[in-house]
Amino acid sequence: MKVCVVGMGYIGLPTSLMMASHGVDVVGVDYDPAKIEMLNAGEVTFEEKGLDELFRAAVKAGISFECGYPKADMYVIAVPTPYDKVSKKIDPAYVVSAVNSVLDVCPQGSVISIESTISPGTVDRFVKPAVQAKGFAVGTDVHLAHTPERIIPGNMVYELEHNSRTIGVDDPETGEIVKSVYSSFCRGEMVVTDIRTAEMTKVVENTYRDINIAFANELARICRRDGMDVYEIIRIANMHPRVNILQPGPGVGGHCISVDPWFLVGDYPEQARLIHQARIVNDSMPDFVLDRIETIMKMNGIRDVSRVGLYGLTYKENVDDVRESPTLQLLERPLACGMKVYDPWVKNDIVDNQYHDLDAFLADVDLVVVMVGHRQLRDNTEILKGKLVFDTRNVCPKGIGVYKL
Ligand code: SAJ
């Protein structure tokens, strides 16, 4: 069984490595020659716990990386699925283009599985027509599947092995083929269902989390109005056996939770009311943080915004991914212009006034706004001693000069 994984990004790379290190014959494909060159030179393209070790094991087991598409029995498509910021609908162009490239080489009877998150109906509306347009019969010439990933950045390798999986297929035989590939490494339960259900399930999972984070964020805003301690309230409420409130924060970033609910809002504007409101609440958190920064500056006589430093640029702790990050969202506001920024995980210069040395950053600011609770800070909160701190992630102990959301 030969598998070709298309897209060597955050999902495709670990998935291909996992398969290869468990005995599957795998080729990893990406249209970016720089990425392929890097992988062939023995370097992974992003930082993730356990990824280096997994990479070495996969290379030893014979994985190869190429720009061109090879012949294979199964193709796993793991390319980006952006959404149109105005219509809120998915842009399936990368998926369709990858499928078209596969169709140019795939042998009769091969399986094409979409691993990327797609909005419900994408396979019927875009993938099947693309296959048919090339003269292939779906279900005989090629078999389609949807195997949405569920792994969390920061714990991807563990979750690849242990999470249960959804396999969406049109016929049970294809389900068995896909199952056999994933069961090479996955110890979780594998649920085989139809493609439409698999598409919907994936989006529902991330929407559930978005709504729950929005609830925590709304509670933070309610508590702020009357000086109540939202963290203590959540801690106590969560002692109830059927309550499990998430943590408030400066907003929701990443390429999943802040994006997927829009697929439902875009396709079902009349029905997806709560989902839409949750998006609005979470998207407004950077403004709430900015208001708090202004208040804290006034309270402490700080007039110069360039004396404010944002700690953290990534969308969450202990990853190097900055996509849709609350810090980037905040920096788009004119009022944030001139603020200084530091993130131990972001090695390149991606914004103005970005520091790469923590001491130099701290020396140049009076107020530190903790936007991300990276391990570096969580385990050493004393590094902020003597500074005014606005802690949006609740990682610093309470104390004089420490403000919370
Ligand atoms: N966040 C909070 N409060 C919380 C939890 C998260 O403010 O209590 C924020 C984070 O700081 C971050 C954002 O939400 O900005 C999303 O982070 P996350 O850790 O909740 O999720 P992701 O985006 O890293 O990964 C999610 C996961 N989905 C679910 O947990 C339902 C993961 O399993 C999916 O595979 C991934 O989306 C994906 O690719 O779809």
Side-chain angles (χ1 to χ4, degrees):
M1 182 83 177
K2 182 165 175 168
V3 176
C4 167
V5 180
V6 181
M8 289 292 96
Y10 286 101
I11 300 302
L13 179 63
T15 303
S16 63
L17 300 178
M18 202 68 170
M19 287 177 180
S21 63
H22 286 81
V24 181
D25 181 8
V26 181
V27 181
V29 165
D30 201 291
Y31 69 6
D32 178 359
K35 211 174 249 187
I36 293 300
E37 211 172 286
M38 214 172 149
L39 292 168
N40 280 328
E43 263 178 82
V44 292
T45 45
F46 64 97
E47 276 192 55
E48 170 67 33
K49 188 173 68 188
L51 194 64
D52 279 326
E53 293 83 338
L54 187 63
F55 181 74
R56 282 196 291 275
V59 169
K60 206 167 162 198
I63 190 170
S64 61
F65 303 102
E66 294 167 16
C67 284
Y69 287 64
K71 286 200 182 315
D73 304 297
M74 178 169 158
Y75 295 84
V76 175
I77 313 286
V79 296
T81 43
Y83 74 103
D84 185 289
K85 294 244 159 76
V86 179
S87 73
K88 310 295 189 198
K89 294 196 183 199
I90 194 170
D91 170 5
Y94 291 108
V95 171
V96 170
S97 147
V99 168
N100 275 324
S101 302
V102 166
L103 294 170
D104 288 340
V105 296
C106 70
Q108 172 84 13
S110 49
V111 176
I112 303 179
S113 185
I114 314 293
E115 183 108 359
S116 317
T117 304
I118 46 183
S119 69
T122 298
V123 169
D124 274 346
R125 284 202 295 260
F126 301 102
V127 180
K128 280 187 185 164
V131 174
Q132 284 152 351
K134 287 231 175 193
F136 289 86
V138 176
T140 44
D141 295 335
V142 286
H143 302 277
L144 296 178
H146 180 41
T147 47
E149 55 83 17
R150 277 181 168 161
I151 52 179
I152 194 129
N155 201 24
M156 285 177 153
V157 177
Y158 177 89
E159 290 207 351
L160 262 175
E161 188 176 341
H162 293 93
N163 286 359
S164 59
R165 293 198 72 108
T166 317
I167 298 174
V169 283
D170 281 344
D171 60 90
E173 297 76 33
T174 308
E176 285 311 309
I177 297 172
V178 176
K179 217 169 156 178
S180 75
V181 169
Y182 283 95
S183 56
S184 65
F185 66 85
C186 177
R187 293 205 251 151
E189 193 182 331
M190 272 173 260
V191 180
V192 179
T193 183
D194 60 273
I195 291 178
R196 186 64 182 245
T197 304
E199 290 174 325
M200 186 66 179
T201 306
K202 165 69 198 194
V203 172
V204 162
E205 290 164 5
N206 280 350
T207 302
Y208 169 86
R209 195 156 169 85
D210 196 45
I211 290 173
N212 281 280
I213 298 169
F215 178 58
N217 284 335
E218 192 158 283
L219 286 181
R221 301 174 87 138
I222 291 172
C223 290
R224 174 54 45 209
R225 276 293 295 264
D226 271 330
M228 293 179 274
D229 182 343
V230 68
Y231 301 105
E232 183 66 351
I233 289 162
I234 291 176
R235 189 181 72 81
I236 297 169
N238 281 351
M239 288 172 160
H240 185 290
R242 281 172 297 283
V243 174
N244 185 15
I245 305 171
L246 296 178
Q247 292 299 303
V252 170
H255 191 63
C256 314
I257 295 187
S258 63
V259 175
D260 299 358
W262 284 123
F263 297 161
L264 294 177
V265 177
D267 283 344
Y268 306 94
E270 288 305 316
Q271 290 78 20
R273 303 275 172 90
L274 174 65
I275 300 169
H276 194 178
Q277 276 309 311
R279 278 280 77 241
I280 291 171
V281 169
N282 287 337
D283 272 356
S284 68
M285 286 312 286
D287 285 320
F288 178 70
V289 169
L290 205 51
D291 280 353
R292 286 281 293 145
I293 293 175
E294 281 191 291
T295 307
I296 296 165
M297 285 174 72
K298 274 198 194 110
M299 284 164 79
N300 291 280
I302 302 172
R303 287 196 186 82
D304 181 0
V305 95
S306 71
R307 299 297 299 173
V308 175
L310 305 175
Y311 176 94
L313 251 176
T314 61
Y315 82 93
K316 67 172 188 178
E317 68 283 1
N318 310 321
V319 298
D320 63 4
D321 190 342
V322 298
R323 288 177 297 175
E324 325 280 336
S325 92
T327 305
L328 290 179
Q329 292 177 41
L330 192 149
L331 286 170
E332 279 169 16
R333 279 46 174 189
L335 281 172
C337 183
M339 285 185 188
K340 305 204 156 82
V341 185
Y342 167 79
D343 191 307
W345 284 75
V346 182
K347 309 283 183 236
N348 300 335
D349 268 332
I350 57 167
V351 291
D352 290 340
N353 309 311
Q354 188 182 337
Y355 286 64
H356 296 281
D357 180 82
L358 178 61
D359 292 334
F361 165 75
L362 291 176
D364 282 358
V365 300
D366 298 320
L367 171 63
V368 179
V369 184
V370 178
M371 296 292 287
V372 184
H374 287 307
R375 215 175 292 119
Q376 177 203 46
L377 178 63
R378 197 177 279 265
D379 295 347
N380 304 289
T381 50
E382 68 283 356
I383 56 181
L384 298 184
K385 219 170 165 206
K387 292 280 167 205
L388 276 174
V389 177
F390 172 28
D391 177 13
T392 72
R393 295 286 188 172
N394 199 29
V395 292
C396 299
K398 278 194 209 163
I400 299 167
V402 177
Y403 297 85
K404 301 280 176 174
L405 260 189

